Every structure is written in C-alpha cells, then in structure tokens.
Amino acid sequence: MAIGKMFVEKRKHQRVGKGFEISYKLIPKEISDETVREEGMTKDISLGGVRVEGELIGQLGDVLRVEINTKESSEATVVFAEIRWIDAASKFFGLEFLALREHDQEILKKIIENDEE
C-alpha cells in the first residue's frame, strides 16, 4: 500500500481553467452612495463559483455583484456571489455563486462543456 496524501474533491461542480475579464462591486450591508468597482480575471470557473485574481473589496461572507465578460454572449454574465476564501498574498479569492439567471447558467455550461472537448 502506497503512503501519500489522498485528495478528496469537495466541489459540487467541475471547474475549468478559463480566463475572462470581470468587474465586481461590493453589495453594501447598509445603504451607501459609495460604490467601488474593481476589475480582475477569472482563473477557473464552474457552475458553482469562480477563482478570481484581482484587488479584493470586502471580506469573508460579503456579497459581490460580478459581471463576467465571456465570448459566448455580447452581454456580460451577471451573478451575485459570496466571498468564500481569500489568499491576500497572491491576490486570489474564491466566490460561490448565490444567484444566477437561467440564461447565464446556460452560458457557463457551454463554456465548461467546450473546455472538455
């Protein structure tokens, strides 16, 4: 029996390495006129979430409105997502999708399926 680390995939959805330009802004918990918008790149994406490289706004548990610019549609795919993990040293953070329109879900499915071919 070989000794080594065993990795168990905990994600519900398959992720694919895809780089798309995105913009995102924090959904404030209180009413505010101040809206900060940042831009970044996706590093991998699934139907359940995305890993982002960019300047973090917010903290764990905060909700962002995210616009993903894919080549599958002329309009950005818009999702609301919760910040689930942060790696501040490398400027990466992970988002879990909370709300995704059916149309946008279909676009993400195409992106993922096209990567498998």
Side-chain angles (χ1 to χ4, degrees):
M1 182 168 134
I3 298 175
K5 291 185 180 181
M6 190 171 189
F7 178 74
V8 177
E9 180 61 60
K10 295 180 182 178
R11 292 187 177 110
K12 296 176 193 173
H13 305 282
Q14 175 187 351
R15 288 187 177 237
V16 295
K18 292 282 186 170
F20 298 110
E21 293 179 358
I22 65 167
S23 62
Y24 48 96
K25 66 179 181 178
L26 183 66
I27 303 298
K29 295 178 182 171
E30 300 173 0
I31 296 175
S32 171
D33 291 334
E34 187 176 317
T35 301
V36 176
R37 181 178 292 274
E38 289 289 344
E39 294 184 356
M41 290 289 292
T42 66
K43 292 300 174 181
D44 60 48
I45 192 164
S46 77
L47 289 177
V50 65
R51 179 170 53 123
V52 176
E53 180 179 30
E55 292 295 326
L56 178 68
I57 50 177
Q59 53 193 322
L60 288 177
D62 283 347
V63 176
L64 302 177
R65 181 184 186 274
V66 182
E67 295 180 12
I68 305 169
N69 299 307
T70 69
K71 295 176 178 108
E72 295 291 326
S73 175
S74 59
E75 296 179 7
T77 298
V78 177
V79 299
F80 289 89
E82 179 182 349
I83 301 171
R84 299 294 290 177
W85 60 267
I86 299 168
D87 182 350
S90 62
K91 292 192 176 183
F92 286 113
F93 56 96
L95 301 174
E96 179 180 3
F97 297 151
L98 301 174
L100 184 62
R101 294 180 302 194
E102 188 174 331
H103 171 75
D104 292 330
Q105 187 174 16
E106 291 302 317
I107 290 171
L108 291 180
K109 280 182 184 177
K110 280 185 186 177
I111 290 167
I112 293 164
E113 288 169 0
N114 287 341
D115 192 67
E116 294 173 356
E117 297 172 356

